[in-house]
Amino acid sequence: MLTKDNQKVDVLIVDDREDGLMALEAALCIPHINLVKAQSGEEALSYLDKYNFGVLLLDVQMPEMDGFELAEKIRKKEKYKFTPIIFVTAINKDDRYVYKGYELGAVDYIFKPFDAQVLNSKVSIFVELYLKSSQLEKQAEKIRESERKERYQKLAELEIESLKRYRNLANSIPHIIWKARDDGIFNYFNQVWIDYTGLSQDQSVGLGWQSAMYPDDLNQFLKNLILSMNSGEGFEIECRLRRHDGQYRWHWLKASPELQGNFVTAWIGTCTDIHDRKLAETKLIEAEQLAVSASVAKTSFLANMSHEIRTPMNAILGFSELMLNPDQDEEERRHCINTVHKCGRQLLGLIDEILDISKIEAGRMEVEKIDFNLGTLLKDLSALMKVQAESKNLKLEFEFLSKIPEFINTDPTRLRQILVNVIGNAIKFTQVGEVRIKMAWKNEKNNLGSLEIFVSDTGVGIDSEHKNKLFKPFVQADNSTTRVFGGTGLGLFLSRKLARALNGDLTFEEKGGNRKSLGSTFLLKVNTENIKDVKFIQSLPKDQMETKKSTFQSTESQLEGLKILLVEDSEDNQDIITYFLTHAGAHVDIAENGVEGVQKTLEGDYNIVLMDIQMPKMDGYQATSELRNKGYMGPIIALTAHALKEERDRCLKAGYTEHMTKPVNRVTLISEIARFASKSRHLVS
């Protein structure tokens, strides 16, 4: 409340009679007061929050709410808990009645008719007291404000002195120094920061500094700062700060709390440039990853090559040795020759793929551009691939989506190589259904055109996990030792390289969604010149080729009385090993995978088990371990194309009795079987 010279005191007078209010108003001739009149208790209550009353004069006898009830309600308000109340009444002068008024908080009683001088005197006293109290309160507030200002001034002087020390120290250190208040608001940066970022002190304080920090790192920094503000502990983080020339460089940021007792009063931080060290670490990690990747690739390459080379070599050496037998008839000899020829072509194709990849990687791959008959190439290709498809009871269809030129200009050898790889893959990975080749021709400008060939199958399909690895070397969708389909994983890698060398590409066509879908589609696109006045064709003759499989049996008899189980998924290896053993006198049963091998071993009465490692459904390691776990104690010899020492150690650890590599040496195989079978308890008479 202000002084009495410039402030009036609000005085409330309550009386239900108009003449009563007029009498009170006429009697109260006191300067510095503002009379507020009310004719009911409800009206009086409505004024309490609108004014700051210094004195209340209440009539006692009023309808609906008398003066006592009104006084009781007024006292319940904290604002008027000690405000003077004077009752004005013309009746009830009884002491008990008067005492009731005092009990309700009255400071005085005036009876009607009242003496105006007495009334003025009493009210003036309370008004004067109110004014003096207000003045005292204001003076006390001024004293408190003065003390606060003096305290703040001292604190400000101390803070300025402290900041000077911080700045002198911070500017002498060759690192970025910053300071923030206890609430995380940044209020100081040293000269190194200003020189590095190009931001002035005014541009940096508050939130301006955030523009110099990399956005992703800023989010992580703010998260750490909030956690530290809650825990009162410092933190460290690596972040990128933008230099004045726009380059982001890595810094090691360390923040520590400034404590006063147990309370954090500020945060002090440093930023040290670690960009060169970070780059060196990154290069070291990348080099290590490349080294590991190269080692894995090398191991994978050796394992794949060992398996893919030794498997056909086993058949070649075995059947060629059989051909030396003078007692071999013409049908047996023809079967041996066909098998050796087929495996030799398989090896030749593998070697050609490796050489082609080496040439491509060395940048020495050469392609020729000649005019050739595309119709004849596709016709021959249809006849060749039809043999593979029919051997699996698959349909192989060539479909023309548009007319295609009979002659084009590109490398026919490489085009044929690509199509053989892609169509061969489709046949290999399809068990039921068909492989369909669709062809289309698109005319381009300047006598140019593009040949598009879609190769689709109804095979196992390719899931999203493996589609991104399709065109990498030595990678297959199923790369486990239990895989059903063989191969090196070089075909698609080489085919794409060749397609791009022909100014085209080889791609996998998505069917939508991430789930593995039935079948796959590959698109081969080759850009070529369109020969002038060339004839266009829209059909292809369907040639068929037939092959005759010959079978033969051995007559040797050197392993008399032995019953042997051969667990092997390759038909060629089944033939040659069975031939060796039966002509040595043994009885041989065949199991085509690990599951069947376990079942027959446990149900049969075999002197010895010969087991391959890489087989479908269950590989040899799993099958041997399961047999040993089920108590089978008979000899199990590993016959595998994996010849590395690590593979031998793994075989023996899995429970194999011995490890033999393919190609199998007939004499060694029979000798080893005889040696281990002699220890077997079960002989077949």
Side-chain angles (χ1 to χ4, degrees):
M1 181 67 69
L2 299 177
T3 65
K4 65 180 181 180
D5 294 331
N6 51 21
Q7 178 66 43
K8 289 187 176 183
V9 179
D10 298 325
V11 176
L12 177 65
I13 55 176
V14 184
D15 197 317
D16 63 311
R17 294 172 59 86
E18 182 69 28
D19 57 345
L21 290 174
M22 292 176 64
L24 287 171
E25 186 178 6
L28 293 171
C29 299
I30 305 172
H32 313 303
I33 69 170
N34 175 41
L35 286 178
V36 180
K37 297 176 288 184
Q39 288 187 269
S40 68
E42 289 296 333
E43 184 181 2
L45 291 174
S46 69
Y47 293 146
L48 295 179
D49 292 331
K50 297 179 181 179
Y51 298 91
N52 292 321
F53 294 114
V55 184
L56 304 170
L57 281 79
L58 310 180
D59 186 23
V60 174
Q61 191 167 356
M62 293 185 296
E64 296 182 1
M65 182 187 302
D66 62 24
F68 294 147
E69 292 176 303
L70 177 57
E72 188 174 4
K73 290 186 177 182
I74 290 174
R75 285 295 187 226
K76 289 182 179 179
K77 288 186 172 291
E78 186 67 26
K79 181 178 179 181
Y80 297 103
K81 193 172 183 180
F82 301 104
T83 303
I85 297 176
I86 300 175
F87 284 115
V88 181
T89 182
I91 60 171
N92 296 324
K93 297 181 180 180
D94 184 83
D95 288 345
R96 288 179 297 176
Y97 190 79
V98 173
Y99 290 152
K100 181 179 180 182
Y102 287 132
E103 288 176 356
L104 293 173
V107 296
D108 206 345
Y109 238 101
I110 295 178
F111 297 96
K112 298 177 183 179
F114 50 78
D115 185 321
Q117 185 176 359
V118 173
L119 177 63
N120 266 316
S121 176
K122 291 186 177 183
V123 173
S124 295
I125 291 173
F126 292 119
V127 169
E128 188 68 23
L129 286 173
Y130 184 83
L131 288 173
K132 288 183 178 180
S133 296
S134 297
Q135 286 180 323
L136 289 173
E137 184 178 348
K138 181 173 180 56
Q139 290 172 355
E141 180 61 28
K142 286 183 177 180
I143 293 172
R144 288 194 295 270
E145 181 66 22
S146 177
E147 290 175 346
R148 281 197 297 268
K149 288 182 178 179
E150 184 179 359
R151 185 167 60 254
Y152 289 151
Q153 184 176 359
K154 290 182 179 179
L155 290 174
E157 292 174 354
L158 290 174
E159 186 173 354
I160 291 173
E161 185 64 28
S162 177
L163 281 175
K164 287 181 179 178
R165 291 198 300 269
Y166 276 128
R167 289 174 182 175
N168 292 334
L169 178 61
N171 289 331
S172 66
I173 298 175
H175 300 280
I176 292 174
I177 306 291
W178 54 265
K179 185 179 180 182
R181 300 185 327 208
D182 60 340
D183 58 1
I185 301 298
F186 283 63
N187 56 9
Y188 171 73
F189 292 87
N190 71 341
Q191 189 63 38
V192 179
W193 164 273
I194 295 172
D195 295 339
Y196 178 83
T197 64
L199 298 174
S200 67
Q201 192 74 228
D202 291 338
Q203 291 174 322
S204 301
V205 296
L207 301 178
W209 62 272
Q210 295 185 7
S211 64
M213 186 173 287
Y214 193 76
D216 291 346
D217 300 339
L218 175 61
N219 294 333
Q220 188 64 30
F221 170 77
L222 293 176
K223 180 180 178 181
N224 280 273
L225 180 60
I226 292 172
L227 292 174
S228 293
M229 288 171 61
N230 292 331
S231 65
E233 298 178 354
F235 67 93
E236 299 176 8
I237 186 176
E238 290 183 354
C239 62
R240 284 159 287 186
L241 298 178
R242 190 185 66 234
R243 200 165 60 184
H244 57 81
D245 59 0
Q247 180 189 6
Y248 281 97
R249 293 181 63 85
W250 281 100
H251 284 71
W252 175 48
L253 186 151
K254 182 175 182 180
S256 302
E258 190 175 71
L259 300 174
Q260 185 173 353
N262 294 326
F263 297 98
V264 176
T265 58
W267 292 91
I268 304 295
T270 61
C271 298
T272 304
D273 192 315
I274 58 169
H275 191 75
D276 295 336
R277 189 193 77 188
K278 188 80 173 178
L279 291 181
E281 290 177 353
T282 302
K283 290 181 180 179
L284 183 62
I285 293 172
E286 290 176 351
E288 183 179 357
Q289 290 175 342
L290 287 174
V292 172
S293 177
S295 177
V296 171
K298 178 183 176 182
T299 302
S300 176
F301 172 79
L302 291 175
N304 277 284
M305 290 303 100
S306 174
H307 180 269
E308 295 303 319
I309 292 175
R310 286 177 176 273
T311 297
M313 280 300 298
N314 180 59
I316 290 173
L317 295 179
F319 280 102
S320 61
E321 184 177 355
L322 292 179
M323 293 168 61
L324 298 175
N325 185 353
D327 297 329
Q328 191 176 50
D329 59 32
E330 185 63 26
E331 183 179 1
E332 291 173 340
R333 187 176 297 278
R334 187 181 301 109
H335 176 67
C336 291
I337 293 172
N338 288 337
T339 303
V340 170
H341 180 71
K342 180 182 68 175
C343 292
R345 288 182 64 86
Q346 182 179 343
L347 280 175
L348 180 62
L350 177 60
I351 293 170
D352 287 342
E353 284 183 345
I354 296 173
L355 292 176
D356 282 342
I357 289 176
S358 298
K359 291 178 182 178
I360 291 173
E361 295 299 327
R364 298 175 59 186
M365 170 62 70
E366 295 181 359
V367 295
E368 60 179 348
K369 296 290 185 67
I370 61 173
D371 298 341
F372 70 94
N373 192 312
L374 177 61
T376 300
L377 184 147
L378 294 174
K379 175 183 175 182
D380 294 342
L381 185 67
S382 173
L384 174 66
M385 305 312 293
K386 190 81 89 173
V387 176
Q388 295 185 29
E390 289 180 349
S391 69
K392 299 181 67 175
N393 295 320
L394 301 176
K395 289 177 62 177
L396 181 67
E397 299 289 344
F398 282 73
E399 178 182 345
F400 285 71
L401 300 178
S402 68
K403 292 183 179 181
I404 64 173
E406 187 176 18
F407 283 84
I408 62 173
N409 181 272
T410 189
D411 190 325
T413 302
R414 298 307 181 186
L415 178 60
R416 185 179 188 278
Q417 185 178 353
I418 297 169
L419 290 174
V420 167
N421 266 329
V422 178
I423 298 173
N425 263 359
I427 294 173
K428 179 169 67 174
F429 291 101
T430 303
Q431 299 301 315
V432 178
E434 66 177 12
V435 175
R436 186 171 293 273
I437 297 93
K438 300 178 182 180
M439 295 159 291
W441 175 263
K442 291 185 178 180
N443 286 314
E444 308 290 347
K445 295 180 180 179
N446 301 323
N447 202 37
L448 299 178
S450 63
L451 176 66
E452 293 184 347
I453 301 179
F454 297 85
V455 180
S456 303
D457 62 63
T458 57
V460 295
I462 299 170
D463 57 30
S464 57
E465 179 182 353
H466 294 98
K467 66 184 179 183
N468 295 327
K469 303 177 181 179
L470 280 175
F471 297 100
K472 294 182 179 180
F474 314 117
V475 173
Q476 286 190 322
D478 179 11
N479 204 31
S480 64
T481 54
T482 61
R483 67 185 188 185
V484 177
F485 310 102
T488 62
L490 293 174
L492 288 178
F493 171 74
L494 176 59
S495 296
R496 168 173 275 187
K497 292 284 189 180
L498 292 175
R500 290 177 175 176
L502 298 178
N503 296 323
D505 203 356
L506 178 65
T507 57
F508 174 70
E509 295 293 288
E510 297 282 356
K511 292 189 175 183
N514 294 324
R515 287 189 171 184
K516 183 174 179 179
S517 57
L518 181 64
S520 304
T521 299
F522 288 85
L523 169 60
L524 170 63
K525 184 175 181 180
V526 178
N527 297 317
T528 177
E529 293 184 7
N530 184 4
I531 303 173
K532 291 183 178 181
D533 302 323
V534 70
K535 177 184 176 183
F536 278 76
I537 60 175
Q538 58 181 357
S539 62
L540 192 69
K542 297 181 179 180
D543 292 346
Q544 294 184 350
M545 297 176 59
E546 295 183 358
T547 58
K548 180 179 179 181
K549 294 184 179 180
S550 59
T551 57
F552 59 92
Q553 297 180 352
S554 174
T555 57
E556 292 185 67
S557 54
Q558 298 181 16
L559 297 176
E560 292 289 345
L562 294 184
K563 186 177 180 183
I564 299 172
L565 176 64
L566 174 62
V567 188
E568 170 66 59
D569 63 315
S570 168
E571 292 185 6
D572 291 335
N573 287 331
Q574 289 175 7
D575 285 349
I576 189 63
I577 295 173
T578 299
Y579 186 89
F580 285 163
L581 300 181
T582 54
H583 278 66
H587 173 79
V588 180
D589 289 336
I590 302 294
E592 295 186 350
N593 55 65
V595 175
E596 186 180 348
V598 170
Q599 181 181 355
K600 286 189 175 183
T601 299
L602 296 176
E603 294 176 354
D605 188 21
Y606 299 104
N607 299 99
I608 197 164
V609 175
L610 305 178
M611 186 172 303
D612 189 17
I613 290 179
Q614 188 166 298
M615 296 181 294
K617 297 185 180 180
M618 178 185 289
D619 63 39
Y621 299 124
Q622 296 168 329
T624 301
S625 296
E626 184 171 337
L627 285 172
R628 297 308 188 198
N629 290 336
K630 291 184 177 181
Y632 182 77
M633 302 301 294
I636 304 175
I637 297 178
L639 291 181
T640 176
H642 293 294
L644 298 178
K645 179 181 181 300
E646 292 82 357
E647 292 293 339
R648 173 180 174 80
D649 295 340
R650 186 178 176 187
C651 285
L652 299 180
K653 186 176 181 180
Y656 281 100
T657 309
E658 186 54 88
H659 172 274
M660 297 184 68
T661 59
K662 300 173 184 176
V664 175
N665 180 280
R666 178 175 59 88
V667 175
T668 303
L669 175 65
I670 293 174
S671 173
E672 288 296 292
I673 290 175
R675 180 169 69 89
F676 285 108
S678 65
K679 302 178 182 180
S680 177
R681 300 177 180 178
H682 307 288
L683 290 176
V684 179
S685 59

